[in-house]
Amino acid sequence: MSPRRIFFILGLVPLASLAFAKFYLEDIQLLEPCPYCMLQRGIMVLFTMVFWLSAIFVGQGSRFFSFISMILTLVVGVLGVFISGKHILLQLNPSDESFGCTQTTLAITEVFDYQIVKDILSTGGDCSVVDWTFLSLSIPMWTAILTVLLTFLGIVVNLIARKRVSRDRWLR
């Protein structure tokens, strides 16, 4: 299978996780997302964008774009693990106010002073409450696992794509 097809398929995985969160967890289970959940959804959208852009540019055989794609995948993955890790830490230490999601929300809305960012991050869910689990893992734990898996697969596919390109087509 070509790297282009693999990237398109990898781009569908975060979209499927978003659809699961929206339609099952919100509409059927009636769970309200917290600000960290909304940030993690944003990370999944970024993964989809990186993978689909990679499918367009890396699929054409460019070592340069493959390198850029690896860097973007790694940056989005590290950011996603950081946000998920902070959410997990908040859920494991619910009484500790220093990790509260209101401080993070205020800091983000001060930097990005846009109404849409304020609307997205002003959801009413509590970040420290574990509302739903599957196999004894909460939503941010599953998101962290998915983030690590997508980062690993994205880097591996980029490495495979780089090896398939000959040296004389480095910038093509």
Side-chain angles (χ1 to χ4, degrees):
M1 188 180 301
S2 72
R4 177 180 225 157
R5 287 185 182 164
I6 295 172
F7 276 125
F8 274 125
I9 292 169
L10 282 177
L12 292 175
V13 172
L15 288 180
S17 70
L18 289 174
F20 172 77
K22 171 62 181 135
F23 296 116
Y24 179 74
L25 295 176
E26 280 188 40
D27 295 341
I28 294 175
Q29 295 290 322
L30 300 176
L31 300 177
E32 190 171 352
C34 70
Y36 278 121
C37 293
M38 297 305 288
L39 289 173
Q40 291 167 6
R41 288 181 187 183
I43 293 296
M44 291 298 133
V45 170
L46 286 176
F47 264 126
T48 298
M49 289 175 19
V50 167
F51 287 148
W52 284 356
L53 287 173
S54 298
I56 293 168
F57 293 111
V58 174
Q60 302 203 3
S62 171
R63 291 174 58 90
F64 176 73
F65 286 123
S66 179
F67 177 74
I68 297 297
S69 174
M70 272 195 300
I71 296 296
L72 288 175
T73 301
L74 188 62
V75 167
V76 171
V78 167
L79 185 62
V81 168
F82 175 74
I83 292 171
S84 296
K86 200 165 178 187
H87 196 177
I88 292 166
L89 184 65
L90 186 61
Q91 285 186 343
L92 295 177
N93 301 314
S95 63
D96 194 3
E97 293 298 323
S98 64
F99 297 117
C101 61
T102 55
Q103 292 176 351
T104 302
T105 303
L106 290 175
I108 291 171
T109 55
E110 284 178 10
V111 173
F112 299 104
D113 193 21
Y114 301 109
Q115 188 60 38
I116 190 168
V117 173
K118 291 178 181 179
D119 291 343
I120 289 172
L121 293 178
S122 64
T123 57
D126 184 10
C127 296
S128 62
V129 175
V130 178
D131 290 328
W132 183 84
T133 60
F134 179 69
L135 298 176
S136 300
L137 297 175
S138 66
I139 297 169
M141 292 176 187
W142 281 110
T143 305
I145 291 169
L146 181 62
T147 301
V148 169
L149 182 67
L150 288 173
T151 304
F152 175 75
L153 289 174
I155 290 173
V156 166
V157 172
N158 272 302
L159 289 174
I160 291 170
R162 284 176 62 87
K163 289 186 189 239
R164 294 178 73 177
V165 177
S166 66
R167 291 282 178 187
D168 57 335
R169 293 174 44 192
W170 193 78
L171 275 175
R172 186 180 159 237

